[in-house]
Amino acid sequence: STRGSTPARLGFLYRQLRNKLGVNVAVVISAALFAAVHMDAGTFLHLFTLGAILAIVAERSGGILASMLVHGFWNGATVLMTVSVFGS
C-alpha cells in the first residue's frame, strides 16, 4: 500500500472509533496512530498534537479534505522554516 492512502485509512479508522468510543477517545487514538505512522520517536509529541488537530478539523468539517489541506500547509511551513534556518 502507498503512503498516499494513509489519510483515507486514518479517516476511515477515525470514523469507526468515533462511532464506537466517542469523539475524545477517537481523537486520542487517531493522533497516536498518526504520530506512529511517521516513525520518528524524536517528534512523536508534536506529531501527536498535529494528529489531534487534524482529527478535530476533520470532525468539525465533516470530512478529511480540510485536514489534508491543513497538513499540506503544515508541511509547507516546515519546509520554509527549514530552508530559512539551514539554507537551500
Side-chain angles (χ1 to χ4, degrees):
S1 80
T2 64
R3 194 172 162 101
S5 63
T6 299
R9 283 195 302 265
L10 286 175
F12 174 79
L13 179 63
Y14 172 78
R15 287 189 301 277
Q16 298 302 309
L17 291 169
R18 181 193 65 209
N19 292 339
K20 290 185 182 354
L21 304 172
V23 171
N24 293 336
V25 173
V27 166
V28 170
I29 293 172
S30 176
L33 290 172
F34 175 82
V37 164
H38 285 81
M39 295 188 211
D40 186 355
T43 60
F44 184 88
L45 186 57
H46 112 252
L47 289 170
F48 176 89
T49 303
L50 176 60
I53 291 167
L54 296 175
I56 292 166
V57 168
E59 177 67 31
R60 297 226 174 159
S61 69
I64 65 168
L65 180 59
S67 60
M68 289 173 70
L69 292 171
V70 170
H71 189 268
F73 286 124
W74 178 273
N75 287 349
T78 301
V79 168
L80 289 174
M81 287 189 301
T82 301
V83 169
S84 70
V85 169
F86 298 108
S88 55

